[in-house]
Amino acid sequence: MAARRQPPTARLRRLAAELKRLRAASEHTRESVEAKTGINTATLYRIETARVRPQKRTLLALLDLYGVKEPAERDKLADLTRDSTQLDWLQLYEPELPEGYQTYISFEAEASRLQNYESLYVPGLLQTEAYARAVIRGVLPTETDEGVGQRVEVRMRRQGILAKQDPVTLWAVVDEAALRRVVGGVDVMKEQLDHLVTQAKLPTITLQVLPYNAGAHPGMAGSFLVMEFPDEDPALVYAESAGGGLFLESNADVARYRATFQHLVAQALSPAETMRFIKAAADAR
């Protein structure tokens, strides 16, 4: 029996992929696994698609069936099942947050490097509280004050990955439109621009503005984020679309978005030029 549903993480994806590979190598179908272990096909599917983490007895039954005898290999997979899969603080907001957003936060928290292109907003990890509140209120006009407040809290807590002992490396390219739009009023926007200047001084943050005069560019299709993880965990892409956010995991998709990001970097102002641009925009408020 599998554990309860929880947001997938990079380590859970790795475990799922490895168990699926081991099943294929042992020439078992999901149906034959059920016949020999009693683990039903629906549960095995959820395990192999990183929807749930298997309980210890389920994992051991699978490893026995797949012929995994090497203690080091068994220990490595067992370690993956014991790793925490959800941020403790995120559980406080779980009932109120959409499942897709919880998944996004879980992946973001594990990432070692982020490449973010934003066309309409200041990146969430670089937003001030006042700007975040104005954005969330504007995007969700029917949300209650309590709901807006909870989302603002979540956004601020997400920013902890920039200040932890081993902080994530963030490279953000932001369209000029996101900085020209006055969100929350002049004072809120000036505070936000000043905050960007301060954050961009951190050695783990690179910020570039994509100016209007860059013309047409490959980011016009929408915002996206390339997430890279430590160890053996494969990279993935989160892309905005008309129907909502999409997680893309194939090597081809990741390579395409990495290439797109490099094109945007080449068309954007340099980090030094970006600082001068943002300071001038702040001073003009």
Side-chain angles (χ1 to χ4, degrees):
M1 183 177 179
R4 70 178 177 84
R5 178 71 172 94
Q6 54 198 327
T9 65
R11 288 185 285 275
L12 188 57
R13 288 169 67 223
R14 193 196 327 165
L15 175 65
E18 185 62 13
L19 289 176
K20 186 174 182 180
R21 183 192 68 78
L22 289 170
R23 177 174 62 79
S26 64
E27 299 184 347
H28 279 289
T29 63
R30 292 193 182 111
E31 290 72 20
S32 68
V33 170
E34 180 175 9
K36 291 180 179 295
T37 67
I39 302 168
N40 67 58
T41 55
T43 295
L44 186 58
Y45 171 79
R46 290 194 293 270
I47 290 171
E48 291 184 349
T49 54
R51 294 172 184 266
V52 295
R53 182 176 298 275
Q55 293 183 356
K56 181 178 180 180
R57 64 176 178 270
T58 301
L59 176 67
L60 295 180
L62 292 174
L63 297 184
D64 289 342
L65 180 63
Y66 300 158
V68 180
K69 302 182 184 298
E70 178 61 40
E73 181 69 10
R74 293 173 71 94
D75 288 346
K76 181 182 77 171
L77 294 172
D79 286 344
L80 288 176
T81 69
R82 288 193 293 267
D83 282 338
S84 175
T85 63
Q86 189 171 11
L87 299 174
D88 290 340
W89 65 262
L90 184 56
Q91 297 179 38
L92 299 174
Y93 305 92
E94 185 177 1
E96 289 77 29
L97 295 179
E99 184 177 295
Y101 189 34
Q102 293 181 54
T103 298
Y104 176 94
I105 294 170
S106 294
F107 281 137
E108 180 185 69
E110 287 192 295
S112 58
R113 185 168 185 256
L114 301 172
Q115 295 177 322
N116 188 193
Y117 167 68
E118 289 292 346
S119 59
L120 298 175
Y121 312 102
V122 169
L125 292 177
L126 300 178
Q127 291 179 8
T128 64
E129 183 173 341
Y131 179 95
R133 189 175 302 278
V135 164
I136 293 168
R137 171 53 69 200
V139 173
L140 301 173
T142 61
E143 183 61 87
T144 65
D145 290 342
E146 181 182 6
V148 170
Q150 288 176 332
R151 287 174 178 265
V152 172
E153 289 177 17
V154 169
R155 190 159 301 182
M156 295 301 100
R157 296 193 76 157
R158 281 173 48 205
Q159 295 178 4
I161 65 173
L162 298 174
K164 62 183 181 179
Q165 185 173 2
D166 185 19
V168 69
T169 298
L170 172 64
W171 192 334
V173 176
V174 184
D175 195 279
E176 180 176 346
L179 305 183
R180 295 296 186 189
R181 184 180 302 277
V182 181
V183 173
V186 173
D187 291 342
V188 168
M189 202 63 205
K190 185 178 189 313
E191 179 191 35
Q192 177 62 74
L193 294 173
D194 289 340
H195 182 66
L196 287 178
V197 172
T198 299
Q199 290 297 94
K201 294 176 182 178
L202 296 175
T204 53
I205 295 177
T206 301
L207 180 62
Q208 293 181 260
V209 169
L210 188 62
Y212 288 144
N213 62 18
H217 58 79
M220 294 176 76
S223 301
F224 65 88
L225 180 73
V226 180
M227 302 182 180
E228 298 185 4
F229 304 94
D231 305 320
E232 306 166 47
D233 301 324
L236 63 79
V237 171
Y238 180 80
E240 296 285 354
S241 71
L246 297 172
F247 289 102
L248 305 172
E249 303 182 62
S250 73
N251 291 336
D253 283 331
V254 172
R256 177 163 55 89
Y257 276 92
R258 279 174 172 158
T260 296
F261 189 78
Q262 290 308 312
H263 280 292
L264 294 171
V265 166
Q267 289 182 258
L269 300 177
S270 70
E273 291 170 329
T274 292
M275 288 303 94
R276 290 193 288 271
F277 178 96
I278 295 175
K279 288 177 181 177
D283 290 342
R285 297 295 175 190

